[in-house]
Amino acid sequence: MRSEFRVSSQNTLIETALESDDPTGQLRELALQLKRDGVSQHTIHDLFDAFRARLSDGEQPGYDAILDTMDQIVGWCSSDHAIFDGPIPDQDDSG
């Protein structure tokens, strides 16, 4: 139940960021705060991706801001905008 509360709370923070005058900037700040709180790159990406999926229509307001922030989370941007130092590490170590 605690995990469900955390996800619900984070979704509320994403919704608030999307309603702001600078959704991309606010989403970036949220991702940076989650990183400072010790949340993994993979978990942050999954959180944003799940929220993106809820905005099923790419024309919905905020969709591009979510995608832009996801790009910054995985490093598909200039290095000065990247939130982490590299791409998401593989979850499968069986190689």
Side-chain angles (χ1 to χ4, degrees):
M1 178 144 118
R2 183 174 215 179
S3 176
E4 289 174 16
F5 173 76
R6 190 173 304 133
V7 169
S8 175
S9 175
Q10 291 167 345
N11 282 336
T12 300
L13 293 172
I14 291 173
E15 289 168 356
T16 300
L18 290 174
E19 294 170 0
S20 75
D21 290 337
D22 179 18
T24 302
Q26 292 298 308
L27 289 170
R28 176 180 170 75
E29 284 303 314
L30 174 59
L32 287 167
Q33 183 60 54
L34 291 169
K35 178 184 177 187
R36 285 190 293 269
D37 290 345
V39 180
S40 74
Q41 182 179 14
H42 192 272
T43 300
I44 296 170
H45 181 269
D46 285 352
L47 172 70
F48 278 77
D49 192 40
F51 200 90
R52 178 209 48 82
R54 288 178 43 197
L55 300 176
S56 60
D57 180 1
E59 299 298 316
Q60 286 185 276
Y63 192 83
D64 286 339
I66 292 280
L67 292 180
D68 289 345
T69 306
M70 289 174 67
D71 286 349
Q72 294 174 15
I73 292 167
V74 298
W76 295 343
C77 59
S78 62
S79 61
D80 58 323
H81 286 99
I83 293 172
F84 288 87
D85 293 332
I88 297 174
D90 289 335
Q91 294 296 305
D92 181 11
D93 293 327
S94 64

